[in-house]
Amino acid sequence: MGVHVYAEENTSPVAPSRLFKALIGDSETLMPKLLPQVVKSISLLEGDGGVGSIKLLTFQEGVPSKSVKTRVDATDAEKFTHKYTLLEGDLLNEKIESISYEMEFAPGPDGGTIGKIKATYVTKGEGPPTEEERKKGKETSLAMFKVVEGYLQQNPDAYV
């Protein structure tokens, strides 16, 4: 078994509190609304949305992945941090056992945000995930971040 950690940062002109509320606090409602061609639904299978809760993200027909099941590992609405683990889905395969994500929405320049995400891949062998495997998750996360960012910029009274 191997453990491989990758980190990314993205900046946004939107305040950390607004991004956190939209991306973490209201994802079940907002993602299907903003990305109806990709996200069919996000359902809470177990829990109340807090630590230990299990969520199911179901994608529309034609999207390469059918669904993803995640578990909330930690969340802090005051520090704007969130950690979750991918339990089931197409990103997990004969090589990748699990993927955990840690997200932080830190204060950035001019009232904006520095979005930090750390992905920890646990592989079944010693080798790291391929660039293609990493790219798939990274591109999806960034695309969702940018769509929500655009929505918040166009709707300055949302999630304040």
Side-chain angles (χ1 to χ4, degrees), residues 43-119:
S43 308
L44 190 59
L45 300 180
E46 294 179 27
D48 60 3
V51 175
S53 295
I54 307 293
K55 296 181 180 185
L56 178 66
L57 170 63
T58 305
F59 297 102
Q60 295 287 4
E61 293 289 326
V63 174
S65 296
K66 291 182 182 178
S67 64
V68 173
K69 191 181 285 187
T70 63
R71 178 188 64 233
V72 176
D73 298 320
T75 192
D76 188 329
E78 291 180 17
K79 293 182 181 175
F80 310 124
T81 59
H82 184 73
K83 182 178 179 183
Y84 67 98
T85 299
L86 186 65
L87 300 175
E88 295 176 13
D90 296 343
L91 290 175
L92 302 180
N93 54 37
E94 66 281 343
K95 187 176 172 183
I96 299 173
E97 187 171 309
S98 68
I99 308 171
S100 294
Y101 296 95
E102 293 180 49
M103 301 166 59
E104 177 184 0
F105 302 92
D110 301 319
T113 300
I114 300 171
K116 301 176 184 182
I117 188 165
K118 180 171 82 171

